[in-house]
Amino acid sequence: MKIASYNVNGVNGRLAILLRWLEDAQPDVVTLQELKAPDERFPAAALAEIGYEALWHGQKSWNGVAILSRVGSIHETRRGLPGDPDPAQSRYLEAAVNGVLVAALYLPNGNPRPGPKFDYKLAWFDRLIDHAATLMASGAPVVLAGDFNVMPTERDVYKPERWQDDALFAPEVRARYAALLAQGWTDSLRHLHPDETIYTFWDYFRNAFARNAGLRIDHLLLSPSLAPRLVAAGVDRDVRGWEKTSDHAPTWIELAEPGGDGDPLV
C-alpha cells in the first residue's frame, strides 16, 4: 500500500501537474494540502476519471486539505482538530481508508515570528499533539501525513544558520515536533534514511531547486501498530522540476500488507 502526501499549492491551478503525477506514481492513498479552493471548486470529477475517490475540506484562496483513494471508500472520522484555535481555517481532515486511519494536515506557517501568526502555529500544534495522543491511545493503525511546516533537525534544512529566526525552525516548534514523536510516532522518511540529505520543498526564488537549497517539512508519521509494515519511503523530487509545478515535491511511503514480511508483529 503506497501512501503519499503532496502540498499542491493550488489544486486547480496545478491540476495538470497533480493528474500527471498520480498517473505516473500510482499512489493508493494521497493527502493533499494547500488546495486554495472552496469546497464547490474541488476537482472531484477530474480525479474520479483517473480512478480516485476524494474527500476534501476546502477554503477559498487559502489552506485546504484532501484525502484521495484508489483502493476503496473513504470514511470520514473527523473534520478539524478538537479545540482548533481558528476553526475557519481548513487544516485537518481524517478518514479510514483500506484499514488505515489517515490524517491529512496542514500546519500553520507561523511567520512572522514573534507575532499572532506564530502564536496560532504553537496553539494549533498543541491541539494536534493532544489529538495525536488520543489516536495513539486507540491502538489504531494511523498515519499523520502532511505539511508540518517544521524542519525537525539541522539535517533537514539547507544552511540552518540562515533559518534561526524563522517560524519553521524555531526551537518551540521543533520541540513540539519532538514531543509528538515522543508519543511513539515514527518519522517514516528519517527512520529509513537516517543520514541522508532529503528535502521536500524548494523555494521558487534564488534558483533554490537547482542548487538543492531545500527544506524537509512534509512528513508521514506512523503509529506503533503501523510502523512495522514500513518497507520504503522517498520523495518524488523530479516532480518539483516540472514546469509550473508546486514548490513542494510529493513524499511517499510503502507499507507491506498486514501479516506480510514487512509486518513481523502481526
Side-chain angles (χ1 to χ4, degrees):
M1 183 179 180
K2 185 175 183 180
I3 303 176
S5 180
Y6 189 16
N7 181 321
V8 291
N9 193 11
V11 70
N12 288 305
R14 304 190 204 280
L15 182 58
I17 297 290
L18 174 60
L19 296 176
R20 176 184 170 187
W21 168 70
L22 288 171
E23 293 194 287
D24 285 354
Q26 294 287 298
D28 297 308
V29 177
V30 183
T31 69
L32 302 177
Q33 303 85 41
E34 275 202 273
L35 304 179
K36 296 182 178 179
D39 283 340
E40 63 271 17
R41 292 201 61 228
F42 184 81
L47 291 163
E49 286 182 5
I50 62 167
Y52 284 91
E53 180 178 329
L55 178 72
W56 61 94
H57 183 23
Q59 182 179 340
K60 184 179 179 181
S61 303
W62 307 99
N63 307 321
V65 287
I67 298 173
L68 315 181
S69 170
R70 68 181 187 105
V71 289
S73 299
I74 305 171
H75 303 279
E76 182 177 336
T77 55
R78 173 165 289 280
R79 182 172 294 246
L81 281 175
D84 192 323
D86 184 0
Q89 298 196 30
S90 301
R91 294 185 176 273
Y92 188 87
L93 187 62
E94 180 185 293
V97 187
N98 197 31
V100 175
L101 192 63
V102 178
L105 63 96
Y106 177 44
L107 212 132
N109 177 285
N111 282 304
R113 165 181 176 255
K117 290 185 177 181
F118 186 65
D119 294 341
Y120 171 59
K121 177 172 190 164
L122 297 182
W124 201 95
F125 216 147
D126 287 340
R127 300 288 75 74
L128 175 63
I129 290 169
D130 289 346
H131 184 57
T134 300
L135 295 176
M136 182 67 68
S138 74
V142 183
V143 56
L144 305 178
D147 179 355
F148 283 70
N149 267 320
V150 54
M151 297 87 80
T153 71
E154 291 191 353
R155 186 184 291 112
D156 301 308
V157 50
Y158 175 81
K159 293 192 175 180
E161 65 275 9
R162 296 184 178 180
W163 290 82
Q164 297 302 318
D165 297 326
D166 195 276
L168 278 68
F169 201 53
E172 305 96 313
V173 176
R174 293 165 64 193
R176 280 165 169 79
Y177 188 85
L180 190 60
L181 294 189
Q183 293 178 347
W185 301 93
T186 295
D187 182 333
S188 304
L189 202 63
R190 191 51 75 200
H191 180 72
L192 292 185
H193 307 286
D195 301 315
E196 292 186 30
T197 297
I198 302 174
Y199 301 135
T200 65
F201 169 92
W202 297 261
D203 206 312
Y204 290 127
F205 304 107
R206 298 176 295 278
N207 207 27
F209 182 64
R211 295 187 297 114
N212 199 29
L215 314 173
R216 189 176 77 95
I217 57 177
D218 302 274
H219 310 299
L220 294 102
L221 308 187
L222 303 182
S223 66
S225 60
L226 201 58
R229 292 169 52 187
L230 179 66
V231 294
V235 179
D236 288 341
R237 188 182 186 279
D238 61 308
V239 177
R240 176 59 181 84
W242 294 354
E243 187 177 356
K244 298 182 180 179
T245 194
S246 171
D247 43 9
H248 294 249
T251 307
W252 54 266
I253 59 173
E254 290 185 2
L255 303 175
E257 292 302 314
D261 292 340
D263 192 13
L265 301 184
V266 177

